[in-house]
Amino acid sequence: MHAEDVRQHLTTPLTSPAYAPTVPRFTDREYLNVVYRTDPGALRAVVPEPLRIGEPLVRFEVMKMGDVSGYGPYTEAGQAIPVSFEGEQGEYLHAMYLDNFPATASGREVSAYPKVLGSPSLTVDSGALVGTLDHGSQRVATATMGYKHHELDRREAEAQITVPAFMLKTVPGYDGLPRVQELVRTRITDVTVKEAWTGPARLQLFAHVLAPLADLPVLEVVSASHILTDLTLSGAEPVHDYLKGAAS
């Protein structure tokens, strides 16, 4: 294989890439969102500067992807933290667990999504929407919400899921030091909200050393939503370079 051919490949292995070279379109993406109040000190310990924390809130989410171009259906769960950057309100994506390796690899390599493999699920059980996350054989999160109790304004639902997302991208060099270390920004585009609901909710987090969601403890459930949508993820752009100490 000639050098110019190698340069055309964006991922490895060269002859069987880990993910498709496509911008994924999400069809029938179903959210369970539970926003809760947590310990401010715990947030300060995990949110990187120059992001700023306002209220000590966390959004636990479970997302069931009905269909995704390039990846197929899968499910994802994680935590997002409301933050601001240079006056812009958004969310810091703290942790994401999903059951699809190509989506995990591309999310980490192409963008900066903090994705690792896990076993999330989103189902309806006896009048409750139930979102769970397992790591191996161990349960680390269980969220329940009353199934379609009250309609949620679709404009409000769109506003909930389209705030800018901030992520930390670190790529190590061969000397063990970071070669890339940037804060990046992305957001959801081309959104169609098909259904939106709200209702009572509960959330339990269980301590696990490799899936430490419970390090941001649940002190009070603030709100919950159940949203069905189609959308596209825009590309990530660097907004702060930690190695230079200035904006890119």
Side-chain angles (χ1 to χ4, degrees):
M1 184 180 291
H2 297 296
E4 57 268 26
D5 297 321
V6 173
R7 288 194 291 268
Q8 300 303 311
H9 293 263
L10 300 178
T11 181
T12 59
L14 284 179
T15 58
S16 57
Y19 48 86
T22 182
V23 176
R25 175 67 178 172
F26 294 78
T27 304
D28 291 336
R29 184 178 196 175
E30 185 176 10
Y31 287 84
L32 167 59
N33 298 306
V34 179
V35 177
Y36 69 92
R37 196 175 306 279
T38 192
D39 175 23
L43 282 185
R44 286 192 292 269
V46 299
V47 175
E49 295 179 336
L51 297 176
R52 296 183 177 273
I53 302 166
E55 285 193 78
L57 301 176
V58 180
R59 181 171 62 87
F60 174 77
E61 63 180 3
V62 181
M63 298 174 287
K64 186 175 183 179
M65 320 300 184
D67 184 62
V68 188
S69 55
Y71 308 123
Y74 65 93
T75 307
E76 184 170 330
Q79 291 169 310
I81 300 168
V83 295
S84 64
F85 175 73
E86 297 182 346
E88 182 180 44
Q89 302 298 314
E91 290 183 327
Y92 172 63
L93 301 185
H94 175 56
M96 308 176 87
Y97 301 84
L98 54 161
D99 57 6
N100 181 296
F101 176 72
T104 302
S106 67
R108 291 172 66 100
E109 293 181 17
V110 177
S111 299
Y113 292 96
K115 296 189 175 190
V116 296
L117 291 173
S119 300
S121 71
L122 185 61
T123 59
V124 180
D125 185 359
S126 301
L129 184 64
V130 181
T132 63
L133 173 62
D134 293 347
H135 188 283
S137 63
Q138 301 300 305
R139 177 62 44 87
V140 294
T142 299
T144 56
M145 174 183 168
Y147 185 67
K148 296 187 177 182
H149 281 202
H150 310 287
E151 284 198 68
L152 177 66
D153 183 273
R154 295 189 183 188
R155 292 168 296 180
E156 180 179 345
E158 181 175 337
Q160 286 184 18
I161 63 174
T162 56
V163 297
F166 297 95
M167 304 168 286
L168 180 64
K169 182 169 187 126
T170 297
V171 179
Y174 298 106
D175 57 1
L177 299 175
R179 178 173 291 187
V180 175
Q181 196 163 59
E182 298 172 332
L183 185 70
V184 306
R185 177 191 183 277
T186 186
R187 69 183 310 156
I188 287 169
T189 61
D190 301 326
V191 181
T192 301
V193 175
K194 297 178 175 179
E195 296 183 35
W197 305 86
T198 188
R202 300 290 185 271
L203 175 62
Q204 291 177 289
L205 302 177
F206 306 95
H208 192 296
V209 66
L210 299 182
L213 282 75
D215 287 2
L216 302 178
V218 180
L219 303 183
E220 176 192 9
V221 171
V222 175
S223 64
S225 59
H226 175 202
I227 302 169
L228 182 65
T229 181
D230 298 341
L231 57 88
T232 302
L233 297 178
S234 63
E237 58 177 355
V239 294
H240 181 82
D241 190 329
Y242 289 92
L243 303 182
K244 295 179 180 178
S248 298

